[in-house]
């Protein structure tokens, strides 16, 4: 049995929320267009979101509603003025995500520093071996 | 030129149609079978012909780049709906939105140019 539009919208919110827990999502229907707004912009513009967007679009097309599914983000041409469904991540969750993100950044920074040191030390090691070889 | 003359709604109109005409041209020239089918749909009076053209080209773009195809698809849908609102509703089109529209149209042209033989 095919999903109804409200079921599809619930399904889409669930899929987006599962993959991007830090994203705010809003939905509004204007005439035949079903708008789903996803914020922040960096999630919306990511390749992972493009994959999910196509997955949802394919499902929407299979419902044969004759309507249009359109994804939006902040600062877009079309603005939602009366969204009928809204999901906002809780401040605790958003804070946790921000902390996780800064921890990940810190780890990435340490890795980069380690790689730089490793790159710097490797030729020295070879140079040392070379000197030993010359001495022998 | 339309922008400098403060014809913001016509700027939105031409921005959208420049993209749609390019889409139709690509389909007619390189995917004539698809283009013929869309013509049949249109004469039946069923469906939304603009969306059919957009979806068909998006389908071909997806074969070479999913991300760009998705960007093309969402930008064209926004342009299409904003053009309708700009042409038929009482809402005034302000300069910043007209500029934004032309920026989006330019991006659409770039995506088509990148992936389609012209």
């Amino acid at each position: 049995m095919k999903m109804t539009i409200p079921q599809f919208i619930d399904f889409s919110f669930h899929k987006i929320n599962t993959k991007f827990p830090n994203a705010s999502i809003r939905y509004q229907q204007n005439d035949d267009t079903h708008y789903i707004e996803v914020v922040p912009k960096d999630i919306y513009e990511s390749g992972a979101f493009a994959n999910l967007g196509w997955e949802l679009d394919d499902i929407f097309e299979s419902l044969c509603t004759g309507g249009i599914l359109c994804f939006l983000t902040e600062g877009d041409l079309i603005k939602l003025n009366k969204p009928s469904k809204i999901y906002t991540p809780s401040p605790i969750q958003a804070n946790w995500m921000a902390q996780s993100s800064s921890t990940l950044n810190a780890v990435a920074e340490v890795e980069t520093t380690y790689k730089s040191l490793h790159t710097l030390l490797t030729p020295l090691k070879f140079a040392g071996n070379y000197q030993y070889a010359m001495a022998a | 030129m339309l922008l400098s003359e403060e014809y913001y709604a016509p700027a939105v109109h031409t921005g959208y149609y420049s993209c749609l005409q390019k889409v139709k041209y690509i389909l007619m020239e390189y995917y004539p079978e698809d283009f013929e089918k869309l013509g049949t749909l249109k004469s039946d009076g069923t469906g939304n012909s603009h969306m059919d053209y957009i979806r068909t080209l998006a389908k071909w773009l997806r074969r070479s780049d999913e991300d760009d195809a998705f960007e093309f698809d969402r930008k064209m849908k926004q342009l299409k709906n904003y053009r309708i609102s700009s042409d038929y509703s009482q809402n005034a089109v302000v300069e910043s939105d007209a500029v934004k529209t032309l920026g989006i149209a330019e991006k659409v042209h770039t995506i088509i140019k990148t992936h389609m033989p012209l």
Side-chain angles (χ1 to χ4, degrees):
Chain A
M1 201 175 82
K2 282 181 182 175
M3 275 190 272
T4 61
I5 291 288
Q7 283 170 338
F8 172 77
I9 298 304
D10 287 346
F11 173 77
S12 301
F13 268 59
H14 173 71
K15 290 287 273 187
I16 296 168
N17 181 239
T18 305
K19 204 159 187 178
F20 306 102
N22 205 26
S24 297
I25 317 162
R26 301 196 303 160
Y27 164 75
Q28 182 173 322
Q29 180 178 359
N30 285 358
D31 302 320
D32 65 344
T33 306
H34 302 273
Y35 291 107
I36 296 180
E37 183 197 71
V38 176
V39 172
K41 205 171 185 173
D42 58 341
I43 287 178
Y44 175 84
E45 288 178 341
S46 66
F49 185 75
N51 290 340
L52 179 60
W54 276 127
E55 190 186 324
L56 294 173
D57 201 65
D58 289 340
I59 296 170
F60 182 82
E61 287 304 308
S62 73
L63 301 178
C64 301
T65 62
I68 300 167
L69 177 66
C70 184
F71 292 99
L72 304 171
T73 191
E74 55 200 331
D76 264 344
L77 210 47
I78 310 257
K79 290 161 189 74
L80 304 187
N81 50 2
K82 286 178 194 162
S84 58
K85 188 174 169 70
I86 299 174
Y87 170 79
T88 312
S90 70
I92 296 168
Q93 189 181 11
N95 190 31
W96 182 83
M97 290 300 288
Q99 279 177 357
S100 303
S101 160
S102 64
T103 308
L104 284 174
N105 285 342
V107 169
E109 214 169 284
V110 169
E111 273 183 359
T112 312
T113 313
Y114 172 77
K115 275 179 192 162
S116 310
L117 278 172
H118 184 73
T119 316
L120 196 71
L121 290 174
T122 305
L124 287 176
K125 194 179 156 198
F126 281 127
N129 288 344
Y130 179 68
Q131 278 169 359
Y132 287 131
M134 287 295 285
Chain B
M1 186 177 160
L2 288 169
L3 283 181
S4 60
E5 296 290 327
E6 298 183 11
Y7 291 126
Y8 301 133
V12 170
H13 183 97
T14 50
Y16 168 67
Y17 274 100
S18 72
C19 297
L20 186 73
Q21 290 306 327
K22 179 75 71 65
V23 169
K24 288 173 78 171
Y25 170 75
I26 294 281
L27 292 175
M28 190 174 67
E29 195 69 21
Y30 298 101
Y31 308 105
E33 282 184 19
D34 281 357
F35 188 76
E36 289 296 315
K37 279 184 206 159
L38 296 175
T40 313
L41 272 177
K42 203 167 65 174
S43 62
D44 285 351
T46 54
N48 179 336
S49 66
H50 288 201
M51 267 317 298
D52 294 331
Y53 291 122
I54 294 166
R55 279 196 190 105
T56 307
L57 189 60
K59 178 191 82 180
W60 285 107
L61 284 169
R62 272 176 89 174
R63 295 186 179 195
S64 55
D65 190 318
E66 285 243 324
D67 294 2
D68 275 359
F70 189 61
E71 192 173 0
F72 164 83
D73 183 77
R74 63 197 180 193
K75 281 189 171 7
M76 278 304 284
K77 285 172 179 172
Q78 280 194 51
L79 281 179
K80 175 187 171 297
N81 286 0
Y82 193 66
R83 195 284 300 177
I84 293 169
S85 144
S86 154
D87 278 358
Y88 302 113
S89 83
Q90 297 297 317
N91 301 335
V93 177
V94 294
E95 185 181 6
S96 60
D97 282 342
V99 170
K100 202 180 274 183
T101 302
L102 295 182
I104 292 172
E106 217 165 273
K107 181 67 191 168
V108 167
H109 281 284
T110 306
I111 292 172
I112 295 174
K113 212 174 182 178
T114 307
H115 299 285
M116 291 292 155
L118 283 171

